[in-house]
Amino acid sequence: MLFTKECDYGLRIIRALASGKKATAEEICEAETIPGQFAYKILKKLERSGWLMSSRGREGGYWLVKSLDSMSIYDVVSAIDENLFINECLRRDRSCLKNIEDQPCVIHKELRRVQGTLVDELKRSKLSALVAVE
């Protein structure tokens, strides 16, 4: 489960909107040092996931529609990158040649356990505890 730069920027976007106020993409980018070319793509993913909304026009911008208490790190990261695996062999769309039914791979089994623990911890980490609202 490699946290991509996109995932990092997604968490920073949420931090920029934590006050509950509407902000433009430019304001978010400036506040969180996010390159503009990434911001729009990430904002769109977060909007599709239902975490924020946007409006266009002169008074337009982005704002959170769910409370930080209801959002976890996992929610944000999985909205941006659906393939959260610490190793390729854990993906359903990939087959592991060493992990076969009659001879399960011990490494695969342990990585699956670690993956599960990591996902559980990310789900437990609420953004309200991580984002200081000023």
Side-chain angles (χ1 to χ4, degrees), residues 16-47:
L17 297 172
S19 69
K21 297 177 184 174
K22 188 184 333 181
T24 65
E26 292 79 17
E27 290 168 336
I28 294 167
C29 289
E30 185 177 319
E32 294 295 331
T33 319
I34 300 171
Q37 70 268 23
F38 284 109
Y40 288 103
K41 179 179 172 184
I42 298 165
L43 285 162
K44 185 59 89 181
K45 288 180 179 183
L46 291 171
E47 188 173 10

Side-chain angles (χ1 to χ4, degrees), residues 2-14 34 38-52 71-84 127:
L2 176 64
F3 275 59
T4 62
K5 207 59 158 156
E6 256 189 299
C7 292
D8 175 45
Y9 291 155
L11 291 167
R12 290 204 243 161
I13 286 170
I14 297 299
I34 300 171
F38 284 109
Y40 288 103
K41 179 179 172 184
I42 298 165
L43 285 162
K44 185 59 89 181
K45 288 180 179 183
L46 291 171
E47 188 173 10
R48 270 195 308 264
S49 70
W51 298 113
L52 54 89
M71 298 172 74
S72 68
I73 293 175
Y74 180 83
D75 294 325
V76 175
V77 170
S78 64
I80 294 167
D81 188 355
E82 297 172 6
N83 296 311
L84 301 172
L127 292 179

Side-chain angles (χ1 to χ4, degrees), residues 54-67:
S54 67
S55 62
R56 294 178 179 248
R58 205 167 90 172
E59 299 296 317
Y62 296 86
W63 64 94
L64 290 176
V65 293
K66 296 194 179 181
S67 76

